[in-house]
Amino acid sequence: MSDPNDLIEIFGAQNPDRRGDVIFVHGLGGDARGTWHPQERRDDNNFWPAWLGQDLSDVGIWSLAYQVEPFRWKGNSMPLVDRATNSLDLLDSYEIGDRPIIFVTHSMGGLLVKQMLRSARDFGKWQAIASGTRGIVFLSTPHSGSDLASWIKHIGTILQTTVSVDELEAHHSRLRELNLLYRNDHQFSQIPMLVYCETRPTNGILVVNQTSADPGIKGVIPVPMDVDHISICKVDDKNNRIYRQVKRFVNQNLTTPLPLIQPKVAVHPDSNPDSKEEEEKKKLMMD
């Protein structure tokens, strides 16, 4: 039985001369392959992550598999912070970070990537993943939560929802805090972003409205599409606009240098240049 939490090689991942890696990250209740396939097939490589590898033969294409189910009877889930730490360690085990990275995300997958980069910077251990990120594609990511999560939680009194549904609720404090960080942090806000959002309801519900799909980053314009939450990530051919723009985004940004995202390290008084200067002044005055 295959590991439900793994990094799946799609195309070119073993090429030692590749110029970078593109990692697809699915959302709540998604699948590393089925999320991106027009027919949701999990055993067919005729889907757009593989097409991207064929068109960009010097790039490694991967898909992150992880458990994030809405209901307990369907499977496991972790709090966002814990899943981010788990995923960082997983990517590191595949030596992701040795080359530039671009993430392509759907729905909650975008929130996971944001938390991963934050944790990588704050912890310092996975600094290469944070500083190596050259761009993020957000497909209907609920940066400030989703009203659907509130609805699922309401019916979940019978079905027992997971912690992931709790954290996806509209205006959840954790998502607000993460969103504010990216809006105001000079390091994270400089990461290139490509954003698309749905305008059609899924089973009568607009899962992610345009306000929540907006990351609020200066210069980043969410593009509304005539699709619903499910179909926005299921590109059906290479003429699809999202496919063309993602390929262009990867080509433009994968090897474009960005200022390094430096780890946050507490400064000891002894290492503060100003403190040292004051000490020298005191010594001179005593002499």
Side-chain angles (χ1 to χ4, degrees):
M1 184 176 178
S2 60
D3 189 344
N5 301 293
D6 202 357
L7 190 61
I8 310 300
E9 299 179 12
I10 303 297
F11 194 99
Q14 297 301 319
N15 179 4
D17 299 320
R18 65 187 189 276
R19 61 187 169 109
D21 294 300
V22 175
I23 302 175
F24 285 75
V25 185
H26 67 78
L28 184 69
D31 178 78
R33 291 181 178 273
T35 291
W36 314 102
H37 195 285
Q39 288 80 44
E40 298 190 358
R41 294 179 59 180
R42 303 181 180 187
D43 58 353
D44 182 13
N45 275 334
N46 187 24
F47 66 151
W48 72 287
W51 303 340
L52 196 63
Q54 294 164 7
D55 287 347
L56 305 175
S57 58
D58 57 348
V59 175
I61 309 294
W62 311 74
S63 188
L64 181 63
Y66 66 104
Q67 292 181 297
V68 56
E69 295 294 346
F71 303 113
R72 294 180 187 175
W73 64 270
K74 291 193 69 176
N76 296 323
S77 191
M78 281 186 187
L80 191 64
V81 172
D82 291 346
R83 179 56 68 189
T85 302
N86 180 280
S87 297
L88 285 167
D89 184 70
L90 175 61
L91 265 57
D92 182 59
S93 73
Y94 282 90
E95 300 181 354
I96 298 295
D98 291 353
R99 299 171 179 82
I101 310 163
I102 284 182
F103 291 96
V104 180
T105 71
H106 176 238
S107 192
M108 189 179 179
L111 303 178
L112 174 59
V113 167
K114 289 172 71 174
Q115 183 61 53
M116 286 167 60
L117 298 184
R118 178 187 187 173
S119 297
R121 183 184 73 173
D122 291 353
F123 297 161
K125 181 177 180 180
W126 300 286
Q127 176 62 29
I129 294 174
S131 60
T133 298
R134 296 291 187 269
I136 308 172
V137 178
F138 293 112
L139 303 177
S140 282
T141 289
H143 296 279
S144 53
S146 170
D147 289 328
L148 176 65
S150 302
W151 179 78
I152 291 177
K153 190 174 181 181
H154 174 69
I155 67 171
T157 54
I158 299 174
L159 297 177
Q160 295 187 319
T161 57
T162 64
V163 65
S164 295
V165 172
D166 295 340
E167 292 184 324
L168 270 178
E169 279 192 275
H171 315 300
H172 190 284
S173 59
R174 183 176 296 282
L175 296 189
R176 288 204 313 271
E177 193 264 348
L178 187 62
N179 202 22
L180 284 171
L181 172 69
Y182 270 76
R183 290 185 180 193
N184 295 286
D185 188 280
H186 72 281
Q187 294 179 327
F188 288 135
S189 62
Q190 71 191 354
I191 299 174
M193 298 177 185
L194 182 64
V195 180
Y196 288 99
C197 57
E198 68 210 56
T199 58
R200 294 183 179 179
T202 303
N203 296 326
I205 300 174
L206 190 64
V207 179
V208 179
N209 63 46
Q210 294 183 42
T211 300
S212 188
D214 185 354
I217 305 295
K218 182 179 180 180
V220 177
I221 302 174
V223 179
M225 300 295 289
D226 292 308
V227 293
D228 62 26
H229 190 72
I230 303 300
S231 61
I232 194 169
C233 58
K234 299 186 186 306
V235 170
D236 51 4
D237 61 53
K238 291 185 179 182
N239 290 322
N240 183 289
R241 189 201 311 177
I242 290 179
Y243 180 81
R244 297 198 310 267
Q245 291 289 57
V246 169
K247 183 173 73 171
R248 182 183 183 187
F249 181 81
V250 171
N251 258 332
Q252 288 178 337
N253 294 291
L254 189 60
T255 52
T256 300
L258 291 173
L260 289 178
I261 295 180
Q262 300 292 346
K264 284 197 169 184
V265 180
V267 179
H268 191 277
D270 292 343
S271 64
N272 189 328
D274 294 334
S275 298
K276 290 182 178 180
E277 186 176 341
E278 290 297 324
E279 289 295 327
E280 291 296 329
K281 287 181 181 179
K282 288 181 181 178
K283 288 181 180 179
L284 288 173
M285 292 176 65
M286 292 176 64
D287 293 341

